[in-house]
Amino acid sequence: MKHIFLTISLFLSTIFYVQAQGGRGGRSPQNQNRQPRVESERKEVKASDLAGIFYYDVKSTLKKVKIKDDDIKVKVSNALKKYNTKIKEISFLNSDKFKGINVLMKSLRENRTSNNGKANKNSDLRKKIGEVIRPIGKEIRAHEMVLNETLEGILTQKQIKKWLKYQKKEKDKLKPQRQERNKNRQQPQNQNRQRRY
């Protein structure tokens, strides 16, 4: 009986010790706040993401929109493949521009970390990026409108709603997500508060 009690108390004390350390080698809230920021900074935004370049996975799209009729599946698949082909052409034709913008964005990130009165330079870089990205994004949106009009002629009203919801979700994945970074910063603080009680 003493052995069981000793084993349980040793196990519990080990768990409490590991939780107090937070699995990060220290109790300092500053160390815990720094790690999520580093992870969020590693997610670099690409120029192609800013322009809105992405491709639909035909099989998963058909599942998400819940298309069961074989004739409609073929028509939707063809429309999606045609859209993907157009976007691949745009991506290929603008690949050099995207590489240049990625270099500019890297420069912007570096300037942001060592911002010694370089606000004018940063705004100039942002303008250059916008001047290149806007026309590409406009061309992509034009193909998106053609795709949506094509699908409206094929799908039911219910399926169109599912399609537009799915499309918005896919497009939102491309947007830079600053909110996650703030959530990650707040989360360790809340965990520390719970541990203190």
Side-chain angles (χ1 to χ4, degrees):
M1 188 68 152
K2 290 181 181 179
H3 294 288
I4 293 172
F5 179 76
L6 183 63
T7 306
I8 291 173
S9 63
L10 182 63
F11 178 73
L12 290 175
S13 64
T14 306
I15 288 175
F16 289 128
Y17 178 77
V18 170
Q19 283 183 343
Q21 294 296 317
R24 293 190 176 122
R27 293 183 185 186
S28 172
Q30 293 172 341
N31 290 342
Q32 291 175 350
N33 288 342
R34 285 185 193 155
Q35 188 169 357
R37 184 187 307 166
V38 171
E39 288 173 5
S40 65
E41 288 175 357
R42 287 182 187 161
K43 296 178 184 176
E44 293 182 7
V45 178
K46 297 178 186 174
S48 58
D49 292 345
L50 290 176
I53 289 186
F54 71 98
Y55 311 102
Y56 290 104
D57 181 351
V58 176
K59 288 182 181 180
S60 68
T61 302
L62 293 174
K63 286 180 184 177
K64 293 284 183 181
V65 181
K66 296 186 179 179
I67 300 171
K68 297 181 181 179
D69 186 270
D70 288 336
D71 292 335
I72 294 175
K73 279 184 182 181
V74 170
K75 290 177 183 177
V76 172
S77 295
N78 289 338
L80 291 172
K81 288 175 184 176
K82 186 177 179 181
Y83 173 84
N84 286 346
T85 301
K86 295 287 185 185
I87 300 305
K88 284 177 187 176
E89 288 174 11
I90 293 170
S91 178
F92 176 74
L93 292 173
N94 294 292
S95 61
D96 290 336
K97 291 179 184 177
F98 291 147
K99 288 176 186 174
I101 290 174
N102 286 335
V103 170
L104 286 175
M105 289 192 307
K106 184 176 180 181
S107 174
L108 259 176
R109 282 190 293 272
E110 289 170 0
N111 285 345
R112 194 178 302 145
T113 56
S114 64
N115 196 5
N116 298 330
K118 298 178 183 176
N120 290 336
K121 186 177 179 183
N122 287 350
S123 65
D124 290 343
L125 288 174
R126 284 191 182 102
K127 285 180 185 177
K128 288 179 185 177
I129 290 170
E131 288 170 2
V132 175
I133 291 291
R134 277 188 211 103
I136 299 169
K138 190 174 182 181
E139 188 177 356
I140 289 170
R141 285 189 295 279
H143 288 294
E144 187 179 296
M145 287 175 61
V146 170
L147 174 64
N148 287 346
E149 288 172 5
T150 303
L151 293 179
E152 283 176 9
I154 299 170
L155 300 174
T156 65
Q157 194 65 32
K158 187 176 180 182
Q159 289 171 330
I160 286 292
K161 285 182 182 177
K162 287 179 183 177
W163 159 251
L164 293 174
K165 185 177 178 181
Y166 175 71
Q167 184 180 51
K168 183 183 182 314
K169 184 179 174 185
E170 291 298 304
K171 287 167 59 175
D172 287 345
K173 289 179 184 178
L174 299 176
K175 294 179 182 176
Q177 299 179 354
R178 293 182 183 173
Q179 292 176 347
E180 280 185 23
R181 188 166 135 183
N182 292 336
K183 287 179 186 176
N184 286 338
R185 283 185 185 170
Q186 292 171 358
Q187 190 175 7
Q189 292 171 353
N190 293 339
Q191 289 174 351
N192 288 339
R193 288 183 194 143
Q194 290 173 354
R195 289 182 190 139
R196 289 179 191 160
Y197 296 113

